[in-house]
Amino acid sequence: MKKWLSLTMVAALMSTLVACSGGNNKPEASSSPSASASQPSASSAESPSASAEQPAADEAGWKSDTSPITFDWYLNFAWFPNKWGVDPTSQYITKKTGVSLNLVVPAGNENEKLNAMIAANQLPDFITLGWWEEGVKKMVEGGLVESLTDLADQYDPYFFKVADGAKLSWYAQPDGKTYVYPNASSSPADFKNFGTQFTSNQTFVVRKDMYEAIGSPDMRTPEGFLNALKLAKEKFPEVNGQPLIPIGFHEFGEDGNYSFFDVGQDSSYLSHYLALPREKEGKLYDRLTDPEYVRWLKTFRQANQDGLISKDIFVDKRAQMEEKIAQGRYFAMLYQRTDFAAQQNVLYANDPNSVYIAVDGPANTNLDAPTLAGPAISGWTVTLISKNVKDKERAIKFLSYLISEEGQKDMYLGEKGVSYDTIDGKDQFKPEALSLMNTDRSAFDKQYGASHTFWMLMDTNMQLQWQPPAVEPFKQLEDWTKGKTESYSQYDLINPPATSKEGINAKKIATEWGKALPKLLLAKSEADFDQTFNDFIAKRDKSGFADLMAYRQTKYEENVKKLAEFLK
């Protein structure tokens, strides 16, 4: 699920991704990949700090060398605000391991920055980006990054003890090697064990006080939905002197909009709320042309015709949306809850009744419960080690430390006596740290640097054992999604490479949809809507949609088999 997380996601991740408070989900030590997956590559030159004797597989290799070293770590997220070494947690980890990080984020467009570094072969030591991003394939297929399994074989067999074998297999390349490691990843086994308690990030929310003031109407049907927006606008035409925005969505991009449909990533909150299947009888299903989906697209078109959709939603970017959410100017939003966590805190501090709450939103004709996206094995982001890395041995050993239980505890709880302590027999955040985390996440990051301040390799399942119970104003939002989540792992990693024929066609189709979606919502009549929609389908078909679906079908079937193996 990608692009789909940000600073405020980090905020809410403290209590949400896998809300199983008090659990002790320690992954079992995974076995080493097959021999074909772990042979050192011919290009693996001796590391500057390579030791004469290799440590035992059950020993943490990073402890053999804690001399000072600084790695450059690139995060392909322009919004990331934190610096390493200014908070007690990162200072503690540096003191413990000797490793300091120079965190680098792009100043503008992420893809332009990453593509420029790839083209110039000037990648920093570590790189973190969304698993779905084309840059992952470019770096791996271009031979610009190290095989993690090769590095582990040569320098740190401890990696195979702490790494999740299912994740390594999931991301293994045709050569049998694995070049990336994910964060926030949940395998089918994890979902089987904790699925009923997993939460989703996908929510339909309304401003609590406004919703109750208009009688808490049922918004599951098109008629009830439009009526609620109308009532809200009539009763609350302005919010602190600014016009009310009846309904808000994710920002519109060149491939569409996550709330409606981002064709580039095959992601659609609306289709999940409508409980549309992603496959039928083993064949991938075209949700975009489903009658239920089209019916609701026409509902939003009607909302615009009725003056219930602000023109701001088509042009506002993240910063503008965050400002308006903090002002409480939206009545309703089809939005991911963690993306407005900081703003939710602001509203809660001003007036607890002005926060956003999750309610039943758009539904199919049968009013079936939504089938929201829960955690998947692909995770959120993946981290790679560049061929330009200044010290291969220290790099793989530090990565092993970060994904180990010791590293996860250090990153999540911080230093004992500073951000956490043993209270009532359990290691948990100190009361003052927990209070700050729940009320001012940005201040918590700077003062403590724990929880998910540095989320690059967070293991949200392992961290359950230290995770505090959710509190308001976040608890209601995440509790509402429990029992409504599904794993969509089998649909990840099915898109073709961008440079392939199918990949080029996929981009053409996504771009056409990005143009068509606003036109559909702004159509002056249902007839105009039908014409625009039919034109898009025709262009999609001419752009090789059938071949694209055939490619995805093959990858989907491979995923199903692979995931079945993980459950044995």
Side-chain angles (χ1 to χ4, degrees), residues 402-541:
L402 290 176
I403 66 176
S404 71
E405 183 168 344
E406 180 178 5
Q408 289 293 310
K409 184 176 182 180
D410 290 344
M411 291 290 279
Y412 188 79
L413 287 179
E415 184 176 7
K416 188 169 186 177
V418 178
S419 49
Y420 87 95
D421 231 322
T422 304
I423 305 172
D424 297 329
K426 178 183 177 181
D427 289 341
Q428 54 185 298
F429 288 114
K430 298 174 70 174
E432 61 270 26
L434 182 60
S435 176
L436 185 61
M437 182 169 70
N438 287 332
T439 57
D440 191 336
R441 181 64 204 210
S442 296
F444 173 87
D445 290 348
K446 293 179 176 62
Q447 185 168 331
Y448 293 104
S451 185
H452 300 105
T453 301
F454 304 102
W455 40 256
M456 296 87 80
L457 285 166
M458 64 183 178
D459 186 325
T460 47
N461 293 315
M462 189 184 298
Q463 292 172 353
L464 288 174
Q465 58 193 300
W466 311 297
Q467 185 171 284
V471 297
E472 298 300 355
F474 311 111
K475 187 177 185 301
Q476 189 274 341
L477 294 172
E478 65 178 66
D479 283 351
W480 187 90
T481 70
K482 290 182 180 179
K484 302 180 179 72
T485 63
E486 293 192 6
S487 173
Y488 290 111
S489 291
Q490 63 269 38
Y491 305 103
D492 290 347
L493 304 177
I494 65 174
N495 282 329
T499 54
S500 67
K501 181 184 72 173
E502 295 86 357
I504 293 171
N505 288 338
K507 183 58 182 175
K508 289 180 181 178
I509 292 170
T511 301
E512 286 296 335
W513 173 250
K515 296 175 182 177
L517 178 58
K519 293 180 181 179
L520 291 169
L521 301 177
L522 294 170
K524 296 184 181 301
S525 66
E526 191 166 315
D528 288 342
F529 177 101
D530 290 339
Q531 183 64 54
T532 299
F533 191 80
N534 292 334
D535 287 347
F536 164 73
I537 297 301
K539 291 178 181 178
R540 189 182 72 165
D541 291 342

